[in-house]
């Protein structure tokens, strides 16, 4: 490459000309030669197009080819030296490589060759410049002498190199003389000489002169000159002007050209007809196309600059264009209908109307375009709409008669070059242009305001909806092409493809889709082929499978948007109640069709090659719906999950026969295409089933299909391959994992798939090791937050994962290793290892095995703090691992040494964290009942005022003083409620009257409903309900507890600790006496015996399905406290209460292994509170508090998980005792659905905090750790009543149906 050929010299000369011409204005403006040189030397800094010049690109490539290998070699040497510490820093590396490269032999030879060739090139350019200057001087010295009529084309604007020109600067007198010579009355020779002079004059001088208006008129007239060469020279002058002048000058040239063309089309000289076709090889047609092409090129370039100029300039260009495109013959002209108007020529050159897209892209120009279209040129839109309608009717007729439309699409698929277009091809081209123009126009509100429009041959006006229906029908009425080598190049011009592009654009534009797409007419048009296939009607559609795939694509896009999903589910109504009644909504048609596809019940599609793709497309539409709560609610009756599950089972049997690819062989040869398709179809079905777990009820349905484990394995495999790069998909996967972890079967599946091991391994790498593949160029920064940002994602993932159902399955009966020695390379693989290595650091071996002891232990303590917020998890960890004792021991060891013995506690990050955890796990109480120490230091002399401790009991400062209750004064409403309840005569509607009176008291005097009064209220009300057959939901056997029997039984360690905590809390509230423990044990054991009579036998490896309920009974304990520790009264109440529907949702152990539930429900280990209550909480949350719902999704957390935690422990630690009592009371008095309204009210109360913590990326930590400060049930009772008025029928129906199969 060091030697240059003559061709290289010519190329360099041409590229150097271009560079100098581009920077001519900068150089000529320099005051001296030195300044010009300085400008060239700093051109890279001042010229934004520097790297786009061909000369610069050539030099860069030449240098790279010549010394590139030297640079790479030196860089490699320096990199290896840098890794050994010999060279440091990026700047030093660059300096070193540069120095070595410049000293190389290759660099010296390259510079020598470049210098020689550039000397030749520059000398040649100088000689050429001198020749041109002498020639021009000679021409100017002989103005009167005759010259030959021909002229050198090299002096025109579009000759090979613009640098080849020499500009002649002209005075105003010379320009005036030039205009006079250009007058059409002058002889041809004079005008040609004037044109010659015009071509070498600077366009800016011409356009800025006083003579330009007259010259423009002459140029416009001369464009029609019969001498083709002469008119083409003018056209080249126009082209040069467009490329080298600003918009404020070129607009006049453009309008001149547009006016010329308009006059030409209106003249009698023009006589082209559509029916005759168009031969572009004809000289006259070719000249006309060149003029229109020049216009079109300018149309596409002008928008980039016209915003910098007055609006009137732009308006001139727009109006001249629209005026030209609106040209047509008079209606009474015999050739009027067949007139080949300018729009056809523009469509030939810009078939997809790119010019219109660019003109309407910015609001600045869009406003002008639409204003002119509305006021003066609406006929242009009318013509486009008419063309689309006419062409559609032609296509529809052809399809219905099974004829083939092949003129354009098939001819132009061939490799043979074609120079002529038939009439039908011209119509197709204009149709494509019109379609693209209208599709762009309708995206904007101003464009839609042009409708409806009235067409001459159509009785009704054409609306936006009519056009969208037309676009939809084009998908299936125009024959699509199979994807072949010949058709792929023209596929983008087929009506189906164009209509798809337009409809897809509509789906992406939220504003216009809500206004236009969500109408019955459009959706019915989309579903027309589906409806036809469902009803068994004959379908006149070519490539039916392709059509169905396109329809499914649009439906899926609609379903992906909230408003679109709502329309598909309910039609014009906003919910199931207000859904249209005149026919099934779209969702019913779609799901029925999908089921038929899965069962292969569509005869027209049987045996189709791409049938699995069609099935997958419609499953995806359904998936967009059933991954939401409201969509799933509509799809449940159809049992789609069962159909997908059956299809997966069949496919998995086939996939087992597919041979495993052998290492070292070509995988494409070892596995057939059919086998690949089977595996792909299996993955599609697994993905569809997996997305059911985006909701709590969907996860319950997924468990019933038997595919849960395979779905989790598929998800983990996909995540491992990092197939999902979409951010929305990542959020979706996190939600799915969170839902899975809230159920025992899901947690076990995550464990067996390897997901938890991968999560723990990744956490350890971030916390302790760092990434192996990360080259350390600078030391890692010391974390300043308790949990470093790099570990935050893993921290949140563990919190999402470790719910009580998951902890029970993963940790129950699992001892921590407590090894005497830990290797630095020993990486944890499961949750017990995390507890062992990060939380319970009870040996020197564990501490010394950590590289970052303090940071890692703080991580473990923060994790423990969140886990212990779930009381059942706290009981399990405390009884199994004695967490409190381990922390107390660590605190006792963390003291200063004094001669007298142990001194004060050392206040550091770890001791502060341990102190907080110890207080949290050993105190029960709501926001005003316990005081948790802060986990940060204060400024000042006493940085940590909270007392530390290393043994029990806790310092009393952490217990808040209970305010004395004010004496209850007489209350008429409360007295009326009590008298109603005690009344022996129960009139009709008695329960409803009691409920209304209860609400009245709750709103006016909520504090009155507490203590013994509350106990009496619920006891009496439940007694009456339990005696009413209509109010009872569950049958119960007879059970009489005997003290002798009870005392023989012993509680599990978990229940014993729960009893201790309950009694401690009850004593703090002054509700229990010193002997309350025996009474509570009596209640718990009696309840267990009583409920055991209603249990079924289940054989399962799940810990939650063992005979004894693993979790503590927080509801029974709450009732025990409400009854002031009266065991007999508590047990009697619970026995009566167990007959009511509300018991299933308030008292979770009530349905443990219950015979009142279907066997499949029991075997899943999923409680109805999860698949029913929390499902509806998520559904109502999306409808009532959409911002909160979105915040949960963005955080990868689910409302169902935190609500299950709240409900399971009856809001203990989250609300004060009085509010817990009110929660239980409203659910008993007002109905089980108030549990759902209660949770929605809590989210409403927390809305601003939820949004704030979502932004801070710690939403789940906030919701689990923080009590519900300031929340009062009575404050939200009216809001709950408003929710009841809307949702009660649906919710109660679902709650009653928990006893049915597959609810």
């Amino acid at each position: 490459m060091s030697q240059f050929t003559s061709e290289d010299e010519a190329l360099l000369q041409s590229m150097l000309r271009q560079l100098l011409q581009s920077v001519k204005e900068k150089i000529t403006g320099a005051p001296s030669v030195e300044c010009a040189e300085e400008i060239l030397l700093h051109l890279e800094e001042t010229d934004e197009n520097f790297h786009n010049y061909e000369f610069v690109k050539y030099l860069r490539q030449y240098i790279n080819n010549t010394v590139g290998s030297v640079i790479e070699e030196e860089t490699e040497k320096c990199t290896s030296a840098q890794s050994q510490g010999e060279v440091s820093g990026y700047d030093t590396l660059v300096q070193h490589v540069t120095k070595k490269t410049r000293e190389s032999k290759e660099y010296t030879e390259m510079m020598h060759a470049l210098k020689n060739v550039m000397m030749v090139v520059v000398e040649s350019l100088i000689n050429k410049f001198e020749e041109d200057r002498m020639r021009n001087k000679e021409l100017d010295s002989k103005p009167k002498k005759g010259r030959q009529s021909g002229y050198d084309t090299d002096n025109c604007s579009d000759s090979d190199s613009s640098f080849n020109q020499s500009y002649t600067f002209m005075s105003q007198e010379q320009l005036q003389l030039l205009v006079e010579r250009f007058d059409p009355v002058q002889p041809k020779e004079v005008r040609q000489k004037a044109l010659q002079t015009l071509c070498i004059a600077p366009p800016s001088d011409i356009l800025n002169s006083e003579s330009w208006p007259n010259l423009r008129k002459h140029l416009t007239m001369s464009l029609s000159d019969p001498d083709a060469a002469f008119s083409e020279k003018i056209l080249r002058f126009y082209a040069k002007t467009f490329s080298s002048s600003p918009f404020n000058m070129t607009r006049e040239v453009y309008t001149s050209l547009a006016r010329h063309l308009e006059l030409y089309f209106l003249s009698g000289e023009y006589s082209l007809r559509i029916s005759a076709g168009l031969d572009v090889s004809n000289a006259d047609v070719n000249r006309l196309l060149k003029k229109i092409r020049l216009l079109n090129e300018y149309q596409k370039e002008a928008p980039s600059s016209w915003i910098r100029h007055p609006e009137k300039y732009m308006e001139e260009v727009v109006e001249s264009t629209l005026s030209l495109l609106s040209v047509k013959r008079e209606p009474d002209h015999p050739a009027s209908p067949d007139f080949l108007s300018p729009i056809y020529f523009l469509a030939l050159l810009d078939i997809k109307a790119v010019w219109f897209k660019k003109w309407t892209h910015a609001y600045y120009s869009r406003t002008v375009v639409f204003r002119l279209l509305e006021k003066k040129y609406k006929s242009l839109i009318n013509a486009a709409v008419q063309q689309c309608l006419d062409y559609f009717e032609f296509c529809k007729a052809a399809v219905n008669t099974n004829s083939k439309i092949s003129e354009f699409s098939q001819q132009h698929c061939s490799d043979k070059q074609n120079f002529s277009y038939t009439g039908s091809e011209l119509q197709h081209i204009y149709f494509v242009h019109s379609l693209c123009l209208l599709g762009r126009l309708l995206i904007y509100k101003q464009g839609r305001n042009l409708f409806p429009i009235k067409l001459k041959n159509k009785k009704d006006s054409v609306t936006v909806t009519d056009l969208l229906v037309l676009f939809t029908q084009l998908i299936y009425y125009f024959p699509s092409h199979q994807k072949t080598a010949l058709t792929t190049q023209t596929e983008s011009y087929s009506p189906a493809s164009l209509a798809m592009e337009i409809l897809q654009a509509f789906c992406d534009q939220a504003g216009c889709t809500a206004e236009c797409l969500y109408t019955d007419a459009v959706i019915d048009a989309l579903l027309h082929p589906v409806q036809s296939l469902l009803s068994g009607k004959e379908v006149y559609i070519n490539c039916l499978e392709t059509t169905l795939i396109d329809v499914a694509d649009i439906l899926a896009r609609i379903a992906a948007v909230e408003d679109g999903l709502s329309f598909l589910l309910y039609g014009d109504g906003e919910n199931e109640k207000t859904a249209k009644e005149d026919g099934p909504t779209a969702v019913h048609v779609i799901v029925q069709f999908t089921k038929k596809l899965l069962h292969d019940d569509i005869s027209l599609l049987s045996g189709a090659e791409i049938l699995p793709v069609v099935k997958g497309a419609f499953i995806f539409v359904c998936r967009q719906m059933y991954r939401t709560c409201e969509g799933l609610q509509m799809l449940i009756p159809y049992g789609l999950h069962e159909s997908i599950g059956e299809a997966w089972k069949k496919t998995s049997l086939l996939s087992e026969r597919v041979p495993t690819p052998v290492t070292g062989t070509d995988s494409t040869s070892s596995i057939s295409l059919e086998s690949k398709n089977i595996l792909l179809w299996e993955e599609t079905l697994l993905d569809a089933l997996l997305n059911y777990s985006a909701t709590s009820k969907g996860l319950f349905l997924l468990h019933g299909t038997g595919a849960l484990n395979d779905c989790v394995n598929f998800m983990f495999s996909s995540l491992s391959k990092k197939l999902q790069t979409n951010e929305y998909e990542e959020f979706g996967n996190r939600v799915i994992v969170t839902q899975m972890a809230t159920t025992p079967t899901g947690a076990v599946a995550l464990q067996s798939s390897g997901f938890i091991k991968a999560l723990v391994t990744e956490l350890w790498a971030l916390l302790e090791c760092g990434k192996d593949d990360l080259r350390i160029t600078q030391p890692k920064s010391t974390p300043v937050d308790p949990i470093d940002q790099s570990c935050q994602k893993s921290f949140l993932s563990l919190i999402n994962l470790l719910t009580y159902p998951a902890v029970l399955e993963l940790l129950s009966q699992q001892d921590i290793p407590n090894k005497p020695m830990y290797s630095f390379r020993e990486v944890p693989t499961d949750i017990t290892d995390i507890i062992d290595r990060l939380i319970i650091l009870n040996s020197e071996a564990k501490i010394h095995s950590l590289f970052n002891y303090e940071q890692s232990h703080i991580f473990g303590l923060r994790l423990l703090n969140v886990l212990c917020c779930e009381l059942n998890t706290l009981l399990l960890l405390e009884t199994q691992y004695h967490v409190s004792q381990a922390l107390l021991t660590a605190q006792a060891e963390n003291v200063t040494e004094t001669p007298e013995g142990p001194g004060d506690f050392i206040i550091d990050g770890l001791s502060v964290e341990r102190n907080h955890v110890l207080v949290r796990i050993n105190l029960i109480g709501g926001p005003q009942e316990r005081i948790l120490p802060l986990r940060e230091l204060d400024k000042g002399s006493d940085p940590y005022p909270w007392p530390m401790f290393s043994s029990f009991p806790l310092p009393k400062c952490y217990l808040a003083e209970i305010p004395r209750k004010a004496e209850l004064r007489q209350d008429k409403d409360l007295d009326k409620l009590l008298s109603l309840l005690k009344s022996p005569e129960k009139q009709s509607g008695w329960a409803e009257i009691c409920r209304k009176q209860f609400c009245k008291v709750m709103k006016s005097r909520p504090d009155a409903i507490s203590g013994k009064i509350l106990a009496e209220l619920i006891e009496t009300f439940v007694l009456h309900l339990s005696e009413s057959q209509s109010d009872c939901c569950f049958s119960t056997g007879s059970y009489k507890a005997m003290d002798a029997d009870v005392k023989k039984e012993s509680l599990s360690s978990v229940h014993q600790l729960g009893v201790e905590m309950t009694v401690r809390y009850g004593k703090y509230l002054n509700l229990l006496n010193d002997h309350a423990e025996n009474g509570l044990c009596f209640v718990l054991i009696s309840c267990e015996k009583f409920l055991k009579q209603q249990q079924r036998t289940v054989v399962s490896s799940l810990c939650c399905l063992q005979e004894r309920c693993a979790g503590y009974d927080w509801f029974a304990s709450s009732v025990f406290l409400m009854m002031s520790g009266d065991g007999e009264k508590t047990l009697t109440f619970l026995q009566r209460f167990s007959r009511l529907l509300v018991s299933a949702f308030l008292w979770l152990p009530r349905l443990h292994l219950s015979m009142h539930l279907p066997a499949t429900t029991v075997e899943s280990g999923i409680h109805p509170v999860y698949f029913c209550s929390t499902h509806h909480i998520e559904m109502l949350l999306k409808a009532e508090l959409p911002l909160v719902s979105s915040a949960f999704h963005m955080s990868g957390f689910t409302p169902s998980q935190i609500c299950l935690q709240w409900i399971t422990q009856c809001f203990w630690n989250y609300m004060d005792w009085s509010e817990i009592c009110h929660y239980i009371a409203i659910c008993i008095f007002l109905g089980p659905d108030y549990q759902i309204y209660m949770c929605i009210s809590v989210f409403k109360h927390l809305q601003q905090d939820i949004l704030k913590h979502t932004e801070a990326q710690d939403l789940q930590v906030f919701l689990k750790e923080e009590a519900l400060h300031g929340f009062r049930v009575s404050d939200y009772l009216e809001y709950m009543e408003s929710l009841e008025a809307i949702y009660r029928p649906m919710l109660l129906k679902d709650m009653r149906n928990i006893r049915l199969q597959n609810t």
Side-chain angles (χ1 to χ4, degrees), residues 741-761:
T742 316
T743 66
T745 47
V748 171
L750 289 170
Q751 171 90 327
S752 60
S753 70
F755 178 86
I756 294 177
K757 180 180 179 181
L759 177 62
V760 171
T761 305

Side-chain angles (χ1 to χ4, degrees), residues 1001-1257:
V1001 178
M1002 273 292 291
K1003 292 174 188 175
S1004 60
R1005 293 199 55 201
D1007 294 338
I1009 301 181
S1010 61
K1012 293 181 178 179
I1013 292 177
L1014 174 59
E1016 185 181 351
L1017 288 175
I1018 63 171
E1019 193 177 9
T1020 312
F1021 191 69
V1022 167
L1023 170 63
H1024 292 315
L1025 290 182
S1026 64
E1027 292 173 349
S1028 168
Q1029 193 64 35
S1030 60
D1031 291 313
C1032 289
C1033 184
F1034 305 110
S1035 59
T1036 59
S1038 60
Y1039 174 77
K1040 180 68 176 174
M1042 302 295 294
D1043 281 352
D1045 295 338
V1046 169
K1047 288 175 182 177
K1048 290 178 184 176
E1049 301 289 335
S1050 62
L1051 291 169
S1052 68
S1053 56
V1054 167
H1055 285 75
Q1056 287 174 19
L1057 182 59
V1059 167
E1060 290 174 18
M1061 293 174 70
T1062 303
V1063 171
R1064 194 160 60 237
Y1065 183 45
K1067 287 180 179 178
Y1068 163 73
L1069 296 171
N1070 296 320
L1071 296 173
L1072 301 180
N1073 56 34
D1074 292 336
H1075 305 290
E1077 272 195 26
N1078 292 333
L1080 183 52
C1081 288
F1082 164 76
V1083 170
L1084 294 178
I1085 294 172
S1086 298
C1087 285
E1088 188 177 318
K1089 283 176 166 291
F1090 161 64
L1091 294 175
K1092 190 175 181 180
Q1093 296 176 349
Q1094 304 169 47
Q1095 289 178 357
R1096 63 171 77 240
T1097 304
V1098 176
V1099 179
S1100 173
S1101 60
L1102 293 176
C1103 297
C1104 67
L1105 293 183
Q1106 302 312 306
E1107 186 178 345
R1108 302 185 75 171
C1109 185
Y1112 184 68
D1113 195 337
W1114 298 103
F1115 177 77
S1117 298
S1118 300
V1119 175
F1120 183 73
L1121 294 186
M1122 293 169 78
M1123 300 296 177
S1124 301
D1126 189 328
E1128 291 288 350
K1129 190 185 286 188
T1130 303
L1131 184 59
T1132 304
F1133 171 84
L1134 290 172
Q1135 284 180 293
R1136 292 168 179 162
F1137 181 70
S1138 66
R1139 299 173 190 167
L1140 308 180
L1141 176 64
V1142 68
S1143 68
F1145 299 93
L1146 274 185
W1147 187 14
L1148 271 68
R1150 163 75 184 88
L1151 292 181
H1152 178 63
L1153 303 180
S1154 176
M1155 63 174 61
H1156 300 296
L1157 296 177
T1160 52
T1161 303
V1162 174
E1163 289 165 3
S1164 70
I1166 303 175
H1167 198 280
V1169 165
Y1170 179 71
F1171 69 74
C1172 185
S1173 292
T1174 66
H1175 167 77
H1176 288 294
I1177 289 168
E1178 291 189 358
M1179 186 162 71
L1180 267 64
L1181 192 65
K1182 191 173 179 182
E1184 298 294 325
L1185 302 169
L1187 289 178
V1188 175
S1189 179
S1190 298
F1192 270 101
H1193 187 81
M1194 291 293 287
S1195 66
F1197 192 47
T1198 60
S1200 58
Q1201 187 178 111
I1202 188 63
C1203 287
L1204 182 64
Q1205 180 171 326
W1206 289 340
I1207 292 166
T1208 302
Q1209 60 196 55
C1210 290
F1211 287 94
W1212 281 40
N1213 280 356
Y1214 290 101
M1215 295 195 298
D1216 293 326
W1217 175 245
S1218 59
E1219 299 306 316
I1220 292 172
C1221 292
H1222 288 164
Y1223 156 66
I1224 293 172
I1226 64 166
C1227 291
I1228 291 174
F1229 268 92
L1230 304 179
D1233 51 330
Y1234 268 76
Q1235 182 183 72
I1236 295 167
Y1237 311 143
M1238 171 80 178
C1239 291
I1240 298 296
S1241 300
V1242 170
F1243 287 130
K1244 184 178 177 70
H1245 178 76
L1246 295 175
Q1247 177 161 340
Q1248 292 308 314
D1249 289 320
I1250 287 172
L1251 297 180
K1252 183 177 74 176
H1253 285 278
T1254 301
E1255 189 176 352
Q1257 298 184 354

Side-chain angles (χ1 to χ4, degrees), residues 150 264 321 520 618 659 835 849 902 969 1194:
Y264 173 71
T321 305
D520 289 337
F618 274 90
I835 294 173
S849 71
R969 62 183 184 273
M1194 291 293 287

Side-chain angles (χ1 to χ4, degrees), residues 442-443 448 468 502-519 557-558 561 563-564:
L442 292 177
I443 284 177
R448 296 194 298 277
L468 287 173
I502 293 169
L503 292 173
Q504 287 168 353
F506 266 73
C507 293
D508 295 338
Q509 304 285 329
C512 70
T513 50
E515 187 175 333
C516 306
L517 273 184
Y518 307 151
T519 61
R557 289 169 186 266
I558 292 172
V561 182
D563 292 340

Side-chain angles (χ1 to χ4, degrees), residues 317-328:
V317 171
V318 173
E319 183 156 16
S320 63
T321 305
L322 298 180
S323 178
L324 169 63
L325 297 180
S326 301
V327 166
K328 57 183 178 180

Side-chain angles (χ1 to χ4, degrees), residues 272 276-286 289 345 348 408 411-412 414-423 425-426 429:
L272 293 177
L278 189 70
D279 183 4
V280 295
S281 61
N282 178 279
D284 292 334
V285 173
N286 190 269
L289 281 171
F345 289 91
L348 268 172
F408 179 79
Q411 277 188 11
H412 289 267
S414 65
D415 294 330
K416 183 180 177 182
Q417 198 168 12
N418 196 5
F419 292 104
S420 63
Y421 295 89
T422 64
E425 289 173 349
L426 290 172
I429 291 166

